[in-house]
Amino acid sequence: MTDLSALHDLLLAPGDLQLGEVARFFTGAFKADGSVVFVVDPTGRELHVGAAEPSSGAAERGLSIPVGYGVTGLVAQNGRAVTLVDDSPRNSAHRQLLRLGPDQTVSRMCLPARGLAPAIVAVLSIHRHRPVPFSEADLEGAQRLADLVGLRLYAQSLLGAAEEHQSERDRMIAHAISAQEAERRRIAGDLHDGVTQALVSLTFHLSAAEVGLAATREADVAAAGALVEIQSARRLAGLAYDETRAAISGLHSLTLDDLGLVAALKSLTQTVPQLDIEFRGDAADRLGDVPDHCAAVLYRIAQEAINNAVKHAEAERAVVSIRRAGDSVVLGITDDGVGFDVASVREQAPDSRGDHFGLSSIAERCALIGARLRIDSVEGRGTAVIVELRLVP
Ligand SMILES: Nc1ncnc2c1ncn2[C@@H]1O[C@H](COP(=O)(O)OP(=O)(O)OP(=O)(O)O)[C@@H](O)[C@H]1O
Ligand SMILES: [Mg+2]
């Protein structure tokens, strides 16, 4: 019985399967003179040499066999193992790989390495120069082992595809968040350059009209009525101006663009006169490199959590903190207010939530950037929203 511990260790080793070691294992286990591991490429049309024992650099790189062509290509196509006696491959790179002189032949076993049906992920070719053909028992035993190699390669390719999808997904999310921020920036810019400027000049004209009318004779009842109207129009224009400014700063933080997350969070805490908010932040260089789209997400989360503290908590004090902890960045927004029953709010089905989007949007944003969210709230004691984002080195 072959000692399987070497193969077992190879199959369970982390990272990509060491194909050279696999070829060495099969050569030794079947008393052969060499082995070649042919790998089916992702298109499923060609076989390339993954490794050969003994190794022969140039020939390995130069050899590719179309699936369905020659004995090896047929095994990759129909998945049936074969033994060959006096085999003499025509392809010169293949002959070189098997170290065959012009008239030499070999005994070979060609085995499909199957992933999950119907995928054949590789072909193992094991050869002897001596005229000692491989037996049926050799073929059967080798096929079982080849399938273990096939499953391992299959799992490896699935893992690779999953990782590729994951990084594609991360790229798309980063792109979507950046596009959303750019759109907010554009709307804020348009509001600033268009609406607020118009409101400023409207207020200016109304003030001028007010001054003009005030100078007319007091006995003029019509003029006095118009004056009252103009005064209230000017007040409304002032209100509209204030609201537009507030909307602009809610839409987009210039500080975030220019000075980064720590400064933006600090300035956010200073724009909430309704609540006494303390800011505790690590210096930006200690915090580490938070990708732009993640910084935008953390900023929006802080904005919503502060809004909630102002709207619902009846708090006296709040603390906003941003700190580095190990390889993570931790954002915290805590208040000493009335607290609430987190589970019952979060368990509400989306369509029965009515107009309450804040907490679910916090949870969605965390999921988008792969951050961990914890909301702790004790009735009568206050609420803590904690977001932990692992920074990928
Ligand atoms: N800091 C807090 N203190 C007390 N209650 C809170 C706090 N944060 C959230 N809540 C409770 O959880 C509910 C849901 O909050 P959520 O932010 O999802 O919605 P909202 O603030 O009511 O509306 P929206 O955020 O969509 O404007 C709130 O209505 C409130 O009852
Ligand atoms: Mg809210």
Side-chain angles (χ1 to χ4, degrees), residues 8-92:
H8 171 270
D9 291 351
L10 276 176
L11 294 178
L12 290 188
D16 286 355
L17 181 60
Q18 298 299 308
L19 295 177
E21 297 296 323
V22 170
R24 193 163 309 142
F25 168 81
F26 276 88
T27 305
F30 293 92
K31 298 188 176 54
D33 294 311
S35 303
V36 182
V37 183
F38 291 94
V39 179
V40 179
D41 78 2
T43 67
R45 292 205 202 102
E46 296 243 339
L47 290 160
H48 298 286
V49 179
E53 164 71 19
S55 167
S56 112
E60 284 171 38
R61 283 191 297 279
L63 181 58
S64 74
I65 298 175
V67 168
Y69 178 85
V71 175
T72 316
L74 276 172
V75 171
Q77 188 173 56
N78 61 28
R80 277 195 293 279
V82 290
T83 52
L84 301 148
V85 186
D86 287 338
D87 185 34
S88 182
R90 267 173 294 173
N91 184 310
S92 63

Side-chain angles (χ1 to χ4, degrees), residues 42 114 157 171 191 198 211 223 240-241 248 270 275 318-319 333 335 354:
R114 293 171 286 213
S157 77
R171 260 198 305 281
L191 280 177
V211 171
Y241 175 82
I248 290 172
Q270 290 163 348
L275 192 58
V319 177
I333 303 95
D335 66 61

